[in-house]
């Protein structure tokens, strides 16, 4: 740890319990919502991950991750780090430290890596009885209804603003927000029309849900000598399988260029047609949501949280970076949507879906 940075109590406690020096504690770059540390000496290291207290009426992220890791160890062994200890009192877990490399941002993974991810997801959903016994929580924002997804994205957009930005950055941010509002309005109109005309059901039933790692993609994966391991399951739980598919394809940090039907292979053939049909409706909604996630810097409180975990950037640089990312993502995603949809239709006609 740096001279001015003091390790929290949960990290010091478990470093001691593991026989590691407190001096070996090193904070790892990670998400905004947690504090993650590595400790150890020589060839033996561990990861200690701390969670904020669970708030009444909200998902318990620690419970979600612990439940998922215990389930995955049985249903899909070898794809996740080993859960060594869960400490509810100190709101932390001790995990196996994975030796390997993260996937580089902006570069698509190989076809072999995608195949491994699909196999992981398939194994997670191959034992429904075990899943029912093990997974207690819904995935974060695991809405069953298309209209619920629309409401969620609409609220994200309404929570954004430009008043806290420097004057030089406001025009670009305002232009992107105007574009997003227009895209969402069009998406809302077309989605409601499809639902009202009976072309697609608004909601799936609870029985149609799947077990989802949530935030599933190669931005949360490590390449190790033994294969790919997936990490970060605090949002995991029961989810709409179509949402898993759209998010896997659409997440922007490590883009997956494979056609959507690749992940459909993880589902039983009887379910693929319905998921494919829902995919074409849900994808435009979640594309806007992913753009909102990139643009979370347009919420003042979220901007401050981002700056804490990306100290190499000042406020202006991180805002400029995110605006550029959002603009690139919008251009790429909306340009590629027609190609992907036509490919899905062709594959359906060929009997592959």
């Amino acid at each position: 740890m740096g001279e001015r940075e003091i390790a929290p109590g949960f990290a010091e406690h478990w470093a001691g319990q593991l026989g590691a020096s407190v001096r070996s504690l090193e904070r790892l770059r990670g998400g905004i919502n947690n504090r993650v540390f590595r400790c150890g000496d020589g060839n033996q290291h561990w990861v200690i991950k701390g969670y904020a207290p669970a708030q009444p009426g909200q998902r318990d992220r620690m419970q979600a991750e612990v439940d998922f890791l215990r389930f995955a160890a049985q249903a899909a062994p070898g794809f996740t780090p080993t859960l060594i200890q869960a400490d509810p009192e100190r709101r932390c877990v001790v995990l196996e430290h994975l030796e390997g490399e993260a996937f580089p941002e902006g570069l698509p993974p190989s076809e072999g890596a995608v195949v491994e991810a699909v196999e992981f997801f398939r194994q997670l959903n191959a034992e429904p009885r075990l899943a029912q016994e093990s997974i207690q929580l819904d995935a974060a924002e695991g809405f069953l209804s298309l209209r619920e997804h629309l409401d969620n994205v609409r609220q994200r957009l309404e929570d954004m603003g430009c008043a806290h930005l420097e004057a030089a950055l406001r025009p670009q941010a305002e232009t992107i927000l105007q574009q997003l509002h227009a895209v969402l309005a069009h998406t809302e109109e077309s989605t409601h029309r499809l639902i009202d005309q009976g072309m697609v059901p608004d909601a799936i039933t609870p029985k149609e849900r799947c077990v989802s790692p949530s935030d599933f993609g190669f931005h949360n994966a490590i390449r190790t000598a033994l294969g790919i391991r997936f990490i970060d399951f605090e949002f995991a739980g029961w989810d709409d399988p179509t949402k898993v598919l759209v998010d896997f394809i659409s997440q922007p940090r490590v883009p997956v260029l494979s056609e959507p039907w690749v992940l459909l292979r993880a589902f039983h053939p009887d379910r693929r047609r319905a998921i494919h049909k829902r995919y074409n409706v849900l994808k435009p909604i979640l594309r806007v949501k992913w753009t909102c996630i990139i643009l979370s810097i347009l919420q003042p409180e979220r901007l401050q949280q981002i700056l804490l975990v990306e100290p190499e950037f000042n406020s202006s640089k991180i805002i400029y970076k995110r605006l550029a990312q959002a603009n690139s993502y919008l251009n790429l995603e909306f340009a590629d949507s027609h190609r992907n949809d036509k490919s899905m239709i062709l594959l359906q006609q060929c009997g592959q879906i």
Side-chain angles (χ1 to χ4, degrees), residues 85-328:
Q85 185 69 44
D87 184 347
E89 179 181 350
R90 294 176 179 83
R91 296 288 298 168
C92 67
V93 297
V94 180
L95 303 170
E96 170 193 10
H97 178 258
L98 301 176
E99 294 287 350
E101 296 180 347
F103 284 79
E105 291 194 13
L107 297 179
S110 67
E111 182 178 347
V114 174
V115 169
E116 284 192 62
V118 172
E119 179 59 19
F120 172 49
F121 183 73
R122 187 196 67 79
Q123 291 185 25
L124 290 174
N125 287 280
E127 299 289 344
R129 181 173 296 181
L130 177 61
Q132 289 287 347
E133 295 171 352
S134 304
I135 304 297
Q136 305 300 316
L137 299 178
D138 293 344
E141 300 184 351
F143 308 121
L144 303 185
S145 161
L146 295 171
R147 288 190 167 108
E148 284 183 292
H149 280 291
L150 285 169
D151 290 343
N152 174 263
V153 177
R154 172 61 63 187
Q155 187 60 57
R156 284 176 177 268
L157 265 179
E158 291 178 354
D159 288 343
M160 293 181 184
C162 302
H164 64 291
L165 304 185
E166 295 179 11
L169 294 171
R170 288 178 193 167
Q172 183 182 359
E174 290 170 350
T175 298
I176 294 177
L177 282 182
Q178 290 171 1
Q179 182 181 2
L180 279 180
H181 277 284
V183 171
L184 181 59
H186 172 76
T187 302
E188 287 173 326
E189 190 277 330
S190 60
T191 302
H192 290 312
R193 183 178 68 251
L194 290 170
I195 294 170
D196 293 341
Q197 293 177 349
M199 300 296 292
V200 63
D202 175 38
I204 63 170
T205 67
K207 290 183 178 181
E208 295 176 280
R209 297 179 301 175
C210 67
V211 175
S212 169
S214 202
D215 204 10
F216 179 41
F218 293 97
H219 59 303
N220 281 328
I222 303 291
R223 290 183 291 196
T224 77
L226 299 177
I228 298 174
R229 300 281 192 95
F230 293 90
I231 60 172
D232 199 4
F233 305 112
E234 64 197 71
F235 302 121
W238 293 100
D239 207 347
D240 181 344
T242 308
K243 174 172 168 277
V244 181
L245 172 60
V246 175
D247 284 344
F248 182 74
I249 295 294
S250 298
Q251 61 81 21
R253 285 175 54 190
V254 185
V256 176
L257 299 185
S258 303
E259 302 290 358
W261 61 267
V262 173
L263 192 59
L264 277 176
R265 292 174 175 173
F267 297 100
H268 190 278
D270 292 345
R271 301 192 62 193
R272 293 175 188 170
R273 186 179 296 271
I275 294 172
H276 155 238
K277 187 174 182 179
R278 192 172 182 83
Y279 170 91
N280 289 326
V281 183
L282 186 56
K283 184 176 182 182
I285 301 171
L286 296 186
R287 283 203 308 263
V288 179
K289 177 180 174 180
W290 275 109
T291 310
C292 290
I293 291 171
I294 297 171
L295 291 174
S296 58
I297 43 90
L298 299 184
Q299 301 175 39
E301 291 184 5
R302 196 63 171 174
L303 174 59
Q304 294 307 312
Q305 293 173 331
I306 293 170
L307 289 170
L308 288 175
V309 299
E310 297 194 43
E312 68 272 26
F313 291 101
N314 60 34
S315 177
S316 296
K317 287 184 178 180
I318 193 66
I319 292 168
Y320 181 83
K321 174 186 173 184
R322 290 294 188 95
L323 290 175
Q325 288 174 339
N327 193 55
S328 296

